[in-house]
mmCIF file of all heavy atoms in Angstrom:
data_model
loop_
_atom_site.group_PDB
_atom_site.id
_atom_site.type_symbol
_atom_site.label_atom_id
_atom_site.label_comp_id
_atom_site.label_asym_id
_atom_site.label_seq_id
_atom_site.Cartn_x
_atom_site.Cartn_y
_atom_site.Cartn_z
ATOM 1 N N ALA A 27 6.096 94.946 65.277
ATOM 2 C CA ALA A 27 6.431 96.248 65.886
ATOM 3 C C ALA A 27 7.926 96.525 65.786
ATOM 4 O O ALA A 27 8.353 97.678 65.507
ATOM 5 C CB ALA A 27 5.976 96.299 67.320
ATOM 6 N N CYS A 28 8.746 95.540 66.012
ATOM 7 C CA CYS A 28 10.188 95.653 65.966
ATOM 8 C C CYS A 28 10.598 95.964 64.510
ATOM 9 O O CYS A 28 11.425 96.862 64.277
ATOM 10 C CB CYS A 28 10.846 94.420 66.476
ATOM 11 S SG CYS A 28 12.671 94.473 66.360
ATOM 12 N N LEU A 29 10.065 95.240 63.586
ATOM 13 C CA LEU A 29 10.455 95.439 62.139
ATOM 14 C C LEU A 29 10.066 96.825 61.666
ATOM 15 O O LEU A 29 10.914 97.477 61.018
ATOM 16 C CB LEU A 29 9.714 94.366 61.297
ATOM 17 C CG LEU A 29 10.271 92.945 61.347
ATOM 18 C CD1 LEU A 29 9.400 91.999 60.505
ATOM 19 C CD2 LEU A 29 11.721 92.864 60.966
ATOM 20 N N ILE A 30 8.877 97.256 61.966
ATOM 21 C CA ILE A 30 8.437 98.585 61.461
ATOM 22 C C ILE A 30 9.216 99.686 62.162
ATOM 23 O O ILE A 30 9.505 100.729 61.608
ATOM 24 C CB ILE A 30 6.928 98.745 61.633
ATOM 25 C CG1 ILE A 30 6.460 99.942 60.811
ATOM 26 C CG2 ILE A 30 6.567 98.960 63.070
ATOM 27 C CD1 ILE A 30 6.708 99.804 59.342
ATOM 28 N N LEU A 31 9.634 99.462 63.420
ATOM 29 C CA LEU A 31 10.442 100.464 64.136
ATOM 30 C C LEU A 31 11.801 100.601 63.458
ATOM 31 O O LEU A 31 12.286 101.684 63.283
ATOM 32 C CB LEU A 31 10.590 100.003 65.573
ATOM 33 C CG LEU A 31 11.409 100.965 66.487
ATOM 34 C CD1 LEU A 31 10.750 102.327 66.561
ATOM 35 C CD2 LEU A 31 11.525 100.329 67.889
ATOM 36 N N VAL A 32 12.408 99.464 63.104
ATOM 37 C CA VAL A 32 13.734 99.478 62.431
ATOM 38 C C VAL A 32 13.624 100.041 61.033
ATOM 39 O O VAL A 32 14.414 100.904 60.632
ATOM 40 C CB VAL A 32 14.312 98.081 62.419
ATOM 41 C CG1 VAL A 32 15.596 98.036 61.567
ATOM 42 C CG2 VAL A 32 14.630 97.589 63.820
ATOM 43 N N PHE A 33 12.578 99.600 60.277
ATOM 44 C CA PHE A 33 12.402 100.096 58.925
ATOM 45 C C PHE A 33 12.240 101.582 58.863
ATOM 46 O O PHE A 33 12.924 102.339 58.159
ATOM 47 C CB PHE A 33 11.176 99.432 58.260
ATOM 48 C CG PHE A 33 11.410 97.997 57.839
ATOM 49 C CD1 PHE A 33 10.389 97.209 57.410
ATOM 50 C CD2 PHE A 33 12.694 97.430 57.920
ATOM 51 C CE1 PHE A 33 10.596 95.872 57.044
ATOM 52 C CE2 PHE A 33 12.894 96.109 57.582
ATOM 53 C CZ PHE A 33 11.837 95.351 57.093
ATOM 54 N N ASN A 34 11.297 102.096 59.695
ATOM 55 C CA ASN A 34 11.001 103.510 59.663
ATOM 56 C C ASN A 34 12.034 104.350 60.395
ATOM 57 O O ASN A 34 12.177 105.524 60.106
ATOM 58 C CB ASN A 34 9.612 103.789 60.326
ATOM 59 C CG ASN A 34 8.500 103.626 59.250
ATOM 60 O OD1 ASN A 34 8.772 103.289 58.112
ATOM 61 N ND2 ASN A 34 7.290 103.860 59.693
ATOM 62 N N GLY A 35 12.762 103.752 61.375
ATOM 63 C CA GLY A 35 13.780 104.496 62.081
ATOM 64 C C GLY A 35 15.024 104.611 61.228
ATOM 65 O O GLY A 35 15.437 105.697 60.750
ATOM 66 N N ILE A 36 15.691 103.495 60.993
ATOM 67 C CA ILE A 36 16.952 103.484 60.253
ATOM 68 C C ILE A 36 16.726 103.746 58.782
ATOM 69 O O ILE A 36 17.436 104.561 58.147
ATOM 70 C CB ILE A 36 17.691 102.125 60.482
ATOM 71 C CG1 ILE A 36 18.022 101.938 61.965
ATOM 72 C CG2 ILE A 36 18.936 102.092 59.618
ATOM 73 C CD1 ILE A 36 18.699 100.686 62.285
ATOM 74 N N GLY A 37 15.694 103.120 58.212
ATOM 75 C CA GLY A 37 15.427 103.280 56.774
ATOM 76 C C GLY A 37 15.107 104.699 56.426
ATOM 77 O O GLY A 37 15.660 105.270 55.480
ATOM 78 N N LEU A 38 14.154 105.316 57.122
ATOM 79 C CA LEU A 38 13.789 106.653 56.834
ATOM 80 C C LEU A 38 14.907 107.656 57.209
ATOM 81 O O LEU A 38 15.008 108.720 56.589
ATOM 82 C CB LEU A 38 12.502 107.019 57.556
ATOM 83 C CG LEU A 38 11.223 106.421 56.977
ATOM 84 C CD1 LEU A 38 10.005 106.908 57.715
ATOM 85 C CD2 LEU A 38 11.068 106.853 55.486
ATOM 86 N N ALA A 39 15.669 107.317 58.235
ATOM 87 C CA ALA A 39 16.790 108.195 58.571
ATOM 88 C C ALA A 39 17.769 108.247 57.417
ATOM 89 O O ALA A 39 18.263 109.328 57.005
ATOM 90 C CB ALA A 39 17.505 107.740 59.794
ATOM 91 N N ALA A 40 18.027 107.078 56.779
ATOM 92 C CA ALA A 40 18.882 107.049 55.597
ATOM 93 C C ALA A 40 18.243 107.792 54.424
ATOM 94 O O ALA A 40 18.907 108.509 53.708
ATOM 95 C CB ALA A 40 19.165 105.612 55.219
ATOM 96 N N PHE A 41 16.905 107.664 54.333
ATOM 97 C CA PHE A 41 16.226 108.391 53.263
ATOM 98 C C PHE A 41 16.331 109.876 53.440
ATOM 99 O O PHE A 41 16.577 110.642 52.506
ATOM 100 C CB PHE A 41 14.718 107.968 53.217
ATOM 101 C CG PHE A 41 13.877 108.793 52.292
ATOM 102 C CD1 PHE A 41 13.859 108.516 50.951
ATOM 103 C CD2 PHE A 41 13.115 109.825 52.788
ATOM 104 C CE1 PHE A 41 13.094 109.263 50.103
ATOM 105 C CE2 PHE A 41 12.339 110.566 51.935
ATOM 106 C CZ PHE A 41 12.344 110.315 50.576
ATOM 107 N N TYR A 42 16.106 110.363 54.665
ATOM 108 C CA TYR A 42 16.157 111.789 54.921
ATOM 109 C C TYR A 42 17.594 112.305 54.724
ATOM 110 O O TYR A 42 17.778 113.424 54.225
ATOM 111 C CB TYR A 42 15.737 112.070 56.362
ATOM 112 C CG TYR A 42 14.233 112.109 56.523
ATOM 113 C CD1 TYR A 42 13.613 111.245 57.478
ATOM 114 C CD2 TYR A 42 13.418 112.921 55.771
ATOM 115 C CE1 TYR A 42 12.235 111.255 57.644
ATOM 116 C CE2 TYR A 42 12.055 112.947 55.948
ATOM 117 C CZ TYR A 42 11.464 112.086 56.862
ATOM 118 O OH TYR A 42 10.112 112.102 57.032
ATOM 119 N N ARG A 43 18.569 111.499 55.163
ATOM 120 C CA ARG A 43 19.976 111.935 54.917
ATOM 121 C C ARG A 43 20.284 112.031 53.423
ATOM 122 O O ARG A 43 20.967 112.925 52.987
ATOM 123 C CB ARG A 43 20.933 110.953 55.558
ATOM 124 C CG ARG A 43 20.826 110.758 57.056
ATOM 125 C CD ARG A 43 21.038 112.031 57.862
ATOM 126 N NE ARG A 43 19.804 112.815 57.988
ATOM 127 C CZ ARG A 43 18.818 112.513 58.841
ATOM 128 N NH1 ARG A 43 18.918 111.453 59.642
ATOM 129 N NH2 ARG A 43 17.759 113.253 58.897
ATOM 130 N N TYR A 44 19.753 111.085 52.638
ATOM 131 C CA TYR A 44 19.959 111.149 51.225
ATOM 132 C C TYR A 44 19.253 112.379 50.623
ATOM 133 O O TYR A 44 19.792 113.103 49.767
ATOM 134 C CB TYR A 44 19.420 109.887 50.576
ATOM 135 C CG TYR A 44 19.352 109.944 49.038
ATOM 136 C CD1 TYR A 44 20.519 109.753 48.278
ATOM 137 C CD2 TYR A 44 18.171 110.206 48.356
ATOM 138 C CE1 TYR A 44 20.501 109.829 46.911
ATOM 139 C CE2 TYR A 44 18.154 110.298 46.986
ATOM 140 C CZ TYR A 44 19.312 110.079 46.254
ATOM 141 O OH TYR A 44 19.290 110.170 44.888
ATOM 142 N N ASP A 45 18.002 112.620 51.099
ATOM 143 C CA ASP A 45 17.266 113.811 50.647
ATOM 144 C C ASP A 45 18.027 115.082 50.964
ATOM 145 O O ASP A 45 18.099 115.993 50.147
ATOM 146 C CB ASP A 45 15.893 113.790 51.246
ATOM 147 C CG ASP A 45 15.032 114.947 50.789
ATOM 148 O OD1 ASP A 45 14.651 114.967 49.581
ATOM 149 O OD2 ASP A 45 14.772 115.883 51.585
ATOM 150 N N GLU A 46 18.578 115.157 52.193
ATOM 151 C CA GLU A 46 19.302 116.332 52.559
ATOM 152 C C GLU A 46 20.594 116.484 51.762
ATOM 153 O O GLU A 46 20.997 117.579 51.342
ATOM 154 C CB GLU A 46 19.655 116.269 54.062
ATOM 155 C CG GLU A 46 18.448 116.486 54.991
ATOM 156 C CD GLU A 46 18.852 116.471 56.430
ATOM 157 O OE1 GLU A 46 20.050 116.211 56.710
ATOM 158 O OE2 GLU A 46 17.977 116.697 57.271
ATOM 159 N N ALA A 47 21.275 115.335 51.530
ATOM 160 C CA ALA A 47 22.500 115.390 50.688
ATOM 161 C C ALA A 47 22.193 115.861 49.281
ATOM 162 O O ALA A 47 22.940 116.632 48.680
ATOM 163 C CB ALA A 47 23.162 114.022 50.641
ATOM 164 N N LEU A 48 21.026 115.384 48.751
ATOM 165 C CA LEU A 48 20.608 115.804 47.420
ATOM 166 C C LEU A 48 20.302 117.321 47.412
ATOM 167 O O LEU A 48 20.711 118.042 46.467
ATOM 168 C CB LEU A 48 19.436 115.019 46.974
ATOM 169 C CG LEU A 48 18.859 115.303 45.543
ATOM 170 C CD1 LEU A 48 19.902 115.034 44.500
ATOM 171 C CD2 LEU A 48 17.609 114.510 45.284
ATOM 172 N N ARG A 49 19.613 117.775 48.408
ATOM 173 C CA ARG A 49 19.319 119.225 48.510
ATOM 174 C C ARG A 49 20.589 120.011 48.683
ATOM 175 O O ARG A 49 20.699 121.121 48.085
ATOM 176 C CB ARG A 49 18.409 119.470 49.704
ATOM 177 C CG ARG A 49 16.991 118.942 49.535
ATOM 178 C CD ARG A 49 16.158 119.104 50.806
ATOM 179 N NE ARG A 49 14.848 118.558 50.675
ATOM 180 C CZ ARG A 49 13.789 119.268 50.209
ATOM 181 N NH1 ARG A 49 13.965 120.535 49.909
ATOM 182 N NH2 ARG A 49 12.618 118.737 50.109
ATOM 183 N N ASP A 50 21.537 119.515 49.467
ATOM 184 C CA ASP A 50 22.804 120.194 49.576
ATOM 185 C C ASP A 50 23.547 120.335 48.256
ATOM 186 O O ASP A 50 24.173 121.377 47.985
ATOM 187 C CB ASP A 50 23.697 119.481 50.614
ATOM 188 C CG ASP A 50 23.167 119.663 52.035
ATOM 189 O OD1 ASP A 50 22.356 120.600 52.274
ATOM 190 O OD2 ASP A 50 23.563 118.858 52.894
ATOM 191 N N ARG A 51 23.512 119.198 47.493
ATOM 192 C CA ARG A 51 24.178 119.267 46.184
ATOM 193 C C ARG A 51 23.518 120.268 45.241
ATOM 194 O O ARG A 51 24.190 121.011 44.555
ATOM 195 C CB ARG A 51 24.175 117.891 45.520
ATOM 196 C CG ARG A 51 25.132 116.884 46.170
ATOM 197 C CD ARG A 51 25.386 115.691 45.267
ATOM 198 N NE ARG A 51 24.155 114.955 45.024
ATOM 199 C CZ ARG A 51 23.778 113.906 45.785
ATOM 200 N NH1 ARG A 51 24.510 113.559 46.864
ATOM 201 N NH2 ARG A 51 22.676 113.192 45.499
ATOM 202 N N ILE A 52 22.183 120.341 45.270
ATOM 203 C CA ILE A 52 21.484 121.303 44.446
ATOM 204 C C ILE A 52 21.809 122.719 44.948
ATOM 205 O O ILE A 52 22.045 123.627 44.134
ATOM 206 C CB ILE A 52 19.978 121.037 44.519
ATOM 207 C CG1 ILE A 52 19.655 119.683 43.878
ATOM 208 C CG2 ILE A 52 19.181 122.153 43.826
ATOM 209 C CD1 ILE A 52 18.190 119.251 44.005
ATOM 210 N N GLN A 53 21.815 122.877 46.261
ATOM 211 C CA GLN A 53 22.117 124.169 46.822
ATOM 212 C C GLN A 53 23.571 124.589 46.459
ATOM 213 O O GLN A 53 23.817 125.729 46.178
ATOM 214 C CB GLN A 53 21.941 124.158 48.336
ATOM 215 C CG GLN A 53 22.129 125.503 48.984
ATOM 216 C CD GLN A 53 21.888 125.435 50.485
ATOM 217 O OE1 GLN A 53 21.671 124.386 51.032
ATOM 218 N NE2 GLN A 53 21.939 126.612 51.157
ATOM 219 N N TYR A 54 24.438 123.624 46.489
ATOM 220 C CA TYR A 54 25.842 123.958 46.171
ATOM 221 C C TYR A 54 25.983 124.328 44.712
ATOM 222 O O TYR A 54 26.724 125.286 44.380
ATOM 223 C CB TYR A 54 26.739 122.751 46.489
ATOM 224 C CG TYR A 54 28.167 122.922 46.111
ATOM 225 C CD1 TYR A 54 28.985 123.834 46.808
ATOM 226 C CD2 TYR A 54 28.749 122.218 45.037
ATOM 227 C CE1 TYR A 54 30.289 124.053 46.425
ATOM 228 C CE2 TYR A 54 30.048 122.387 44.687
ATOM 229 C CZ TYR A 54 30.811 123.295 45.384
ATOM 230 O OH TYR A 54 32.098 123.497 45.038
ATOM 231 N N ARG A 55 25.255 123.646 43.822
ATOM 232 C CA ARG A 55 25.359 124.034 42.416
ATOM 233 C C ARG A 55 24.775 125.414 42.185
ATOM 234 O O ARG A 55 25.297 126.216 41.413
ATOM 235 C CB ARG A 55 24.548 123.020 41.613
ATOM 236 C CG ARG A 55 25.234 121.610 41.500
ATOM 237 C CD ARG A 55 24.408 120.652 40.693
ATOM 238 N NE ARG A 55 25.053 119.324 40.607
ATOM 239 C CZ ARG A 55 24.508 118.269 39.973
ATOM 240 N NH1 ARG A 55 23.356 118.419 39.345
ATOM 241 N NH2 ARG A 55 25.122 117.134 39.972
ATOM 242 N N GLN A 56 23.688 125.692 42.928
ATOM 243 C CA GLN A 56 23.115 127.063 42.820
ATOM 244 C C GLN A 56 24.076 128.070 43.380
ATOM 245 O O GLN A 56 24.209 129.189 42.853
ATOM 246 C CB GLN A 56 21.809 127.127 43.619
ATOM 247 C CG GLN A 56 21.070 128.477 43.470
ATOM 248 C CD GLN A 56 20.692 128.758 42.059
ATOM 249 O OE1 GLN A 56 20.160 127.894 41.311
ATOM 250 N NE2 GLN A 56 20.949 129.996 41.650
ATOM 251 N N LEU A 57 24.848 127.664 44.413
ATOM 252 C CA LEU A 57 25.824 128.553 44.961
ATOM 253 C C LEU A 57 26.916 128.874 43.937
ATOM 254 O O LEU A 57 27.350 130.011 43.835
ATOM 255 C CB LEU A 57 26.432 127.939 46.224
ATOM 256 C CG LEU A 57 27.600 128.694 46.875
ATOM 257 C CD1 LEU A 57 27.152 130.045 47.390
ATOM 258 C CD2 LEU A 57 28.227 127.847 47.971
ATOM 259 N N ILE A 58 27.382 127.857 43.210
ATOM 260 C CA ILE A 58 28.383 128.083 42.203
ATOM 261 C C ILE A 58 27.878 129.050 41.133
ATOM 262 O O ILE A 58 28.599 129.965 40.725
ATOM 263 C CB ILE A 58 28.834 126.765 41.547
ATOM 264 C CG1 ILE A 58 29.460 125.810 42.601
ATOM 265 C CG2 ILE A 58 29.769 126.986 40.398
ATOM 266 C CD1 ILE A 58 30.729 126.382 43.193
ATOM 267 N N ILE A 59 26.621 128.849 40.753
ATOM 268 C CA ILE A 59 26.025 129.763 39.750
ATOM 269 C C ILE A 59 26.002 131.211 40.300
ATOM 270 O O ILE A 59 26.355 132.158 39.615
ATOM 271 C CB ILE A 59 24.596 129.289 39.376
ATOM 272 C CG1 ILE A 59 24.668 127.932 38.664
ATOM 273 C CG2 ILE A 59 23.924 130.329 38.504
ATOM 274 C CD1 ILE A 59 23.345 127.310 38.377
ATOM 275 N N ASP A 60 25.546 131.341 41.568
ATOM 276 C CA ASP A 60 25.482 132.664 42.160
ATOM 277 C C ASP A 60 26.868 133.287 42.260
ATOM 278 O O ASP A 60 27.070 134.483 42.068
ATOM 279 C CB ASP A 60 24.850 132.558 43.568
ATOM 280 C CG ASP A 60 23.422 132.209 43.511
ATOM 281 O OD1 ASP A 60 22.792 132.381 42.425
ATOM 282 O OD2 ASP A 60 22.885 131.761 44.529
ATOM 283 N N GLN A 61 27.853 132.413 42.585
ATOM 284 C CA GLN A 61 29.235 132.922 42.673
ATOM 285 C C GLN A 61 29.777 133.411 41.333
ATOM 286 O O GLN A 61 30.489 134.407 41.266
ATOM 287 C CB GLN A 61 30.154 131.832 43.246
ATOM 288 C CG GLN A 61 29.952 131.583 44.688
ATOM 289 C CD GLN A 61 30.816 130.447 45.240
ATOM 290 O OE1 GLN A 61 31.439 129.783 44.411
ATOM 291 N NE2 GLN A 61 30.794 130.254 46.501
ATOM 292 N N VAL A 62 29.351 132.746 40.287
ATOM 293 C CA VAL A 62 29.768 133.180 38.937
ATOM 294 C C VAL A 62 29.188 134.579 38.674
ATOM 295 O O VAL A 62 29.949 135.484 38.230
ATOM 296 C CB VAL A 62 29.262 132.155 37.863
ATOM 297 C CG1 VAL A 62 29.521 132.749 36.458
ATOM 298 C CG2 VAL A 62 29.998 130.847 38.022
#
């Protein structure tokens, strides 16, 4: 129970942050295109 709590808590939090960062980078690139 402790292991799965840590894996899914911290591990997935890092995964979601990475996913959000990737989405932000894509959004930023799209923003540059829109700005052009």
Side-chain angles (χ1 to χ4, degrees):
C28 178
L29 286 178
I30 195 59
L31 181 62
V32 173
F33 285 172
N34 274 2
I36 298 179
L38 284 183
F41 172 81
Y42 282 124
R43 299 301 85 78
Y44 171 78
D45 182 68
E46 287 183 356
L48 182 60
R49 290 174 181 271
D50 288 342
R51 287 197 296 270
I52 295 174
Q53 184 178 6
Y54 176 69
R55 289 180 181 178
Q56 184 62 45
L57 175 64
I58 296 298
I59 295 173
D60 292 341
Q61 288 176 352
V62 171

